[in-house]
Every structure is written in C-alpha cells, then in structure tokens.
Amino acid sequence: MKNRYKFSALLMALVIFAVGCGSTESTNQASVAKPTDGGSANAKKIIVGTGTKFPNVCFIDENGKLTGYDVELVRELDQRLPGYEFEFQTMEFANLLLSLETKKIDFIAHEMEKNPEREQKYLFNKEPYVVWKTKLIVTKDNNTIQSLDDLKGKKAYTTATSAAAQILENYNKANNNAINIVYSNGSANDAVNQLTAGRADATLGSDFSRPLIDPQGKLKTVGEPLVSSNVLFMFRKDEPEAQALADQIDEAIKQLKADGTLTKLSNQWLGGDYTK
C-alpha cells in the first residue's frame, strides 16, 4: 500500500512539473512575439529621411538625441500606425530628394512645402501639419528691402532644392536673372552669419522659422508673405504602397489635430500653433 502511495505521489509530481514547463515555454514564446513600443511583429519598416541642422524642427540636442517638431511628430505617427515601423535616416537637406528618388528612403520629414514644381514629381499626403507663410528676412538695420523687386542686383541666400530656392528661381526666370542667388548646403542658422557679415542681402523663411534660426534677434521678417504653403510629407509618386502609407498618415494626422496633440507639439517646438 505504501508503494502505491509513493507511486501516486511521484506521478502527481511529474504531472505538476510537466505543466509547469509547458506554461514557462508558452510565456517565453509570447514574450518574444509581443510587439514593443506599440508596434506590430509584422510591421513594415519605413525609412524616414530628415536632417540634423534645422533648429527645433530636426536637430541633435545636447544629449546627442535626434529630436524636433518633425521628428517627434513622426514618432507619434509611429505609435498610432501599428502596421508600420518608422526608422530615421539623417542626411544633408540637399540630398533628401535624390535619396527619395533612388529609394534609399521612403518619405521625407523636413518641413517640405508643397508647390506646383514639386507636385509634378512627387507624392504628398493631403493633411498638412504646418502652414508656412514665407517672407523675406533681412538684418535688423536694413530698411531698403520689402519685396523681391527690391532684391534686383542684390544677393539672396538660400538652400539648394528648397521651396525658397524655387521662389527665387521662378522670379529670376521672369526677370532676366535679376537676383544673385547664393546657394548653401549648410545649417539653417548659417543664414544669420551670411546676412550679418554682408555676404548676402536677404534670405527667405517662414514666419515662425526666423526666431528659431536667429534666437539673438539679429534679423527681421519684412513685407507681405510671398507665398502661403502647406507643409506635408513627401513620397515617391505612382507607387501604390506609398499612396497607402500617405492615406494612413492623413488619418493619423486628423486624429492628432482632433485630440490637440499636433497643436501641443507645434507650441512646444515652434513657439506657437502653426498647424492651420
């Protein structure tokens, strides 16, 4: 009888051990497959092109972290679109369009303004996350420049491939290259040095970007807005996958506007609500 009890006890212990092992294995498998940071195990990786030299928009902070308005917006979108996993690829601004065309990145997040020239070549999502009112920027003591006509025979500083460069180039096409356009691939706040040193007479920028690139207040915006443009994400054209991603981003941006998150990000990084 004692042997029968010992056998039963041994059998019960083996059953408990086996059940315990099975539970542990299931837990481990579940933890491996569990999505992290709100993503999905089957999420499609998307490479997002951005820069590091636009203060408060896309830049490296004092801790070596990539951050700014566009960067944090993409991170918020990443959380809200579990079917995608966004990964940043940083580069010089002038290289972004070529990297998009050669499929090194999947879309651009760098305050890309929509204009007719760009729209012919690239796909944009439809829901803007910033609205730019582009104006002329000059030094504080410059009272002679109020319009593009006032720049005839003078130097305008801009970044190659930018929307501001397109404005100046279009003006020159209609006015026999009246403005001497000085191109740069440098950082956005390099314009302050160029203008204060007298190497250029004016630059172009949005109504919110001037204090970001010029925190010491050496420059000022002048004249009426040259153009009002929607800022959107830029994708390759005629690609169904790109269109599908753009559509989902639009829906997410609508949610961010509705719940106040986009306004909060704009106030935090741009110093005001420039989302409409």
Side-chain angles (χ1 to χ4, degrees):
M1 183 69 69
K2 289 183 179 179
N3 289 337
R4 183 184 303 173
Y5 287 145
K6 288 181 179 179
F7 177 78
S8 298
L10 178 60
L11 180 62
M12 181 61 70
L14 289 173
V15 169
I16 292 172
F17 178 76
V19 171
C21 288
S23 298
T24 303
E25 184 177 2
S26 298
T27 301
N28 288 340
Q29 288 176 348
S31 66
V32 170
K34 183 179 179 180
T36 58
D37 298 328
S40 168
N42 298 317
K44 179 177 176 58
K45 181 176 286 189
I46 299 295
I47 307 301
V48 185
T50 193
T52 61
K53 297 180 180 179
F54 197 154
N56 286 42
V57 171
C58 47
F59 70 105
I60 306 296
D61 68 10
E62 64 275 10
N63 298 316
K65 177 188 176 184
L66 177 67
T67 190
Y69 178 68
D70 283 41
V71 173
E72 298 307 326
L73 171 56
V74 169
R75 287 182 174 140
E76 184 67 35
L77 292 171
D78 192 16
Q79 293 295 313
R80 301 198 182 206
L81 298 174
Y84 297 97
E85 178 187 349
F86 294 154
E87 179 180 303
F88 286 104
Q89 178 68 49
T90 60
M91 63 191 69
E92 295 290 339
F93 177 83
N95 295 331
L96 285 169
L97 295 181
L98 180 59
S99 295
L100 182 64
E101 292 168 4
T102 55
K103 301 186 178 183
K104 293 179 180 178
I105 59 177
D106 297 304
F107 75 88
I108 300 173
H110 198 301
E111 293 292 303
M112 303 303 287
E113 298 170 74
K114 182 179 179 179
N115 59 36
E117 291 81 10
R118 285 177 170 175
E119 198 171 12
Q120 288 180 2
K121 294 183 64 176
Y122 305 102
L123 170 70
F124 291 86
N125 66 297
K126 295 182 176 64
E127 195 71 23
Y129 61 93
V130 171
V131 177
W132 272 37
K133 292 179 176 63
T134 301
K135 294 184 178 182
L136 285 167
I137 299 176
V138 298
T139 55
K140 268 287 187 65
D141 60 354
N142 189 325
N143 299 312
T144 62
I145 296 174
Q146 294 288 324
S147 68
L148 288 177
D149 287 336
D150 295 331
L151 274 176
K152 289 181 177 179
K154 295 182 172 64
K155 294 180 179 180
Y157 184 80
T158 191
T159 303
T161 75
S162 67
Q166 193 70 61
I167 293 171
L168 292 167
E169 290 163 2
N170 288 344
Y171 182 87
N172 269 355
K173 288 178 183 177
N175 292 276
N176 196 29
N177 293 320
I179 300 174
N180 182 2
I181 303 175
V182 179
Y183 295 98
S184 170
N185 292 327
S187 62
N189 56 7
D190 188 46
V192 179
N193 297 328
Q194 297 295 322
L195 269 63
T196 55
R199 291 189 288 270
D201 300 287
T203 187
L204 276 64
S206 72
D207 43 1
F208 72 78
S209 68
R210 201 279 303 160
L212 299 183
I213 67 174
D214 175 36
Q216 295 181 342
K218 296 180 180 181
L219 309 178
K220 64 182 178 181
T221 55
V222 295
E224 296 297 318
L226 301 174
V227 65
S228 180
S229 305
N230 288 336
V231 172
L232 304 155
F233 297 116
M234 185 184 288
F235 308 78
R236 283 184 297 277
K237 206 168 188 178
D238 301 322
E239 289 189 5
E241 288 187 356
Q243 184 65 67
L245 173 57
D247 291 343
Q248 291 200 46
I249 284 177
D250 279 331
E251 292 305 311
I253 291 176
K254 289 177 183 177
Q255 294 174 11
L256 291 168
K257 288 181 175 180
D259 65 22
T261 302
L262 195 65
T263 294
K264 182 180 178 181
L265 286 172
S266 182
N267 285 327
Q268 176 185 354
W269 292 105
L270 306 181
D273 186 4
Y274 295 96
T275 64
K276 52 191 174 184

